[in-house]
Amino acid sequence: MAELHPFHPIIYVRGFAATQSEIEDTVADPYMGFNIGSTKSRTVWTGEVKKYFFESPLVRLMSDHDYQDVFVDGDDLSEARRFDAGVPYRCIVIYRYYDQASQDFGDGQGTPAIEQFARGLNDLILRLKQKVCDNPANGVSSDQFRCYLVAHSMGGLVCRSFLQNPDPAFDAAQASVDKLFTYATPHNGIDMRIVRNVPGWLSFGDVNNFNRERMAKYLYLPKGDDVAVLRDFPPERVFNLVGTNPRDYKVAGGLSSWAVGESSDGLVRIENATTHGPDKSGTDLQSPRAFVHRSHSGYYGIVNSEEGYQNLTRFLFGKLRVDGILDVDDISLPVEVQKELKSGKDVKASYQFEIAVSVRGCQWQLTRRDVRENSAIFRSYDELFPETQGEKRAPDRKASPHLFSVFLDPDKSVKNSGAVSFALDLKVLVPDYTIDGLLFLDRHYEGGFIYRELIIVEAIPDKTALGGWRIKYGYQDLNPGKPGSSANTYALADNSGIGFDIPIQQNTNPGLTGKLRIEARPWS
């Protein structure tokens, strides 16, 4: 068989349609929204709307990676019709689960349950597998077939309902799924300002699909459990793209955006858009995720964005996964606050960590967590240093902020050597202090920070180096655009890749010391 990896078939699963009119509009589109692009981008420094042509994920996958759709002579892979045309391995299939609720293609008598959608996805994967393997041009056997699931919003819950179904009839199709990528999926349900957890009795448009008790049923989880937990599917093989821009979500005249609140994409709260689950050893792992300033849908939506496409293709096709973790060893207090602490007063402090990661040669960021976008990482002093005895507290590494997970593709490198490079803008903001419950604002300037660096990292393929990569890093203020120092790499404890440490030190009051721990693993 010719080497096919990593370009497996892609199945796109669209999001929620509430009304019959929306369902009819959905089924009238061959690609159910995956073909929708945008010519608007909010990136100009003047605040004006810039014209930026993003053709759509569908068109880009076809033009950049030679994918094809499966529509031939007005037919597709639907079960009721014959499809004799050879299905290419690099294909994109649209799961048309709303057809059965359409007045034209179905009975129009209401939307089936998510469990039925999941069963339909199971059947679609098995049909696709047969058609792909029957095409001699592919040279793919049944045990070699794999596919990717790419889903928007409720589509991610349909995928999880399928993947987490314990019925043995699902085993063969489940084993064929290599990765799941979700755009703005409410993995932990939908919350509103006034009503936490969509009521189970709210059946209009099947909105109760986002009620946690209902979710637990179709995700096959015990009632009362965390519904964001993945069951029987590796958490590291699921990517969550999280939107942080509620203002541009115009559904219901902006009412949805107002009802959900600022820390959201206009429909899904940031805290509800991610998954986690046990690895092979039983340790709970967060799924890789990225945060982008995009709304749930629309012209500034998360699906039809360059940031979304770049995260999608790097997660599916990339060859290197890089994680950044900030280990804080010590954080000093202002002299005045330290004095109050020594006098026995109750001192509290909270810290916000901002991070933005970009790749060389591009104008967009893979992920961005920002206070102004309500997506920064928050830690209290007591979380970072839980010990209460003595002035010098020991840090808790479990509380170390996980800053980012990015996937890199040497094939997209702007250098012929295949070297990959990225920059991370790390900021630790000046904290808010309280002394005996009162805010301490002496010498406080809002928006200030106790640490900020733009750090540049480059990984160069080198067969003689540990893990096959030679690592260099540098700082923008010392050598703009070019890493300078060679990193001392070491094997990770589980031998899954290599790591190296970048010292973090800000000798001020307040200030902090620690290390930025970078972990790089082969990705396939």
Side-chain angles (χ1 to χ4, degrees), residues 356-358 365 422-427 451-457 474-481:
V357 181
S358 56
Q365 295 168 326
F422 63 94
L424 55 108
D425 188 2
L426 174 60
K427 291 183 280 187
Y451 180 86
R452 180 174 186 179
E453 283 286 0
L454 184 67
I455 302 171
I456 302 167
V457 178
Y475 302 92
Q476 177 73 12
D477 58 343
L478 297 179
N479 196 1

Side-chain angles (χ1 to χ4, degrees), residues 416-491:
N416 293 331
S417 66
V420 290
S421 182
F422 63 94
L424 55 108
D425 188 2
L426 174 60
K427 291 183 280 187
V428 183
L429 274 67
V430 170
D432 293 325
Y433 303 100
T434 62
I435 299 175
D436 285 344
L438 298 177
L439 272 174
F440 176 82
L441 297 176
D442 289 6
R443 296 191 289 111
H444 178 85
Y445 299 94
E446 187 63 27
F449 46 85
I450 58 177
Y451 180 86
R452 180 174 186 179
E453 283 286 0
L454 184 67
I455 302 171
I456 302 167
V457 178
E458 183 172 28
I460 303 110
D462 186 343
K463 294 181 180 179
T464 67
L466 181 65
W469 294 91
R470 183 163 44 89
I471 309 294
K472 300 177 71 177
Y473 72 90
Y475 302 92
Q476 177 73 12
D477 58 343
L478 297 179
N479 196 1
K482 185 177 181 180
S485 303
S486 295
N488 295 318
T489 57
Y490 51 83

